[in-house]
Amino acid sequence: KMATRKTFVEYINLLRIRKATGLLRNTDGLIVDICYECGFQSVNHFNRMFKSLVGTSPREYRKLQRNVLVAVC
């Protein structure tokens, strides 16, 4: 906790959401499958955690990331 300034659960959730952002950017996997692959047991909890840490829903995040890639190309 002293190194991360987060509780164990907060740190684990951060790692899970970080993995989810990569999967959302780089795969076409279903959001529900990504949720479970990242270790969440509930899609509702995943959506809440994702929005609280990233600032947008997983669906909107994927949509925004794809728009950025299209704009760059």
Side-chain angles (χ1 to χ4, degrees), residues 46-71:
F46 171 70
N47 286 330
R48 276 194 308 271
M49 289 301 305
F50 194 96
K51 190 164 188 172
S52 73
L53 292 173
V54 179
T56 181
S57 70
R59 177 187 287 171
E60 190 65 24
Y61 178 83
R62 177 179 266 168
K63 187 175 161 185
L64 290 169
Q65 292 302 310
R66 289 197 173 153
N67 287 341
V68 167
L69 288 176
V70 169

Side-chain angles (χ1 to χ4, degrees), residues 12-56:
I12 293 299
N13 283 330
L14 180 64
L15 292 178
R16 289 175 173 167
I17 295 298
R18 189 176 294 160
K19 179 178 180 179
T21 59
L23 291 171
L24 288 166
R25 271 194 318 272
N26 301 315
T27 72
D28 289 327
L30 297 174
I31 292 173
V32 66
D33 293 337
I34 290 172
C35 159
Y36 294 128
E37 186 174 336
C38 292
F40 288 92
Q41 302 298 314
S42 159
V43 178
N44 287 335
H45 181 64
F46 171 70
N47 286 330
R48 276 194 308 271
M49 289 301 305
F50 194 96
K51 190 164 188 172
S52 73
L53 292 173
V54 179
T56 181

Side-chain angles (χ1 to χ4, degrees), residues 1-18:
K1 183 172 181 173
M2 291 175 64
T4 64
R5 298 193 184 266
K6 296 185 182 319
T7 66
F8 178 73
V9 172
E10 289 171 334
Y11 181 68
I12 293 299
N13 283 330
L14 180 64
L15 292 178
R16 289 175 173 167
I17 295 298
R18 189 176 294 160

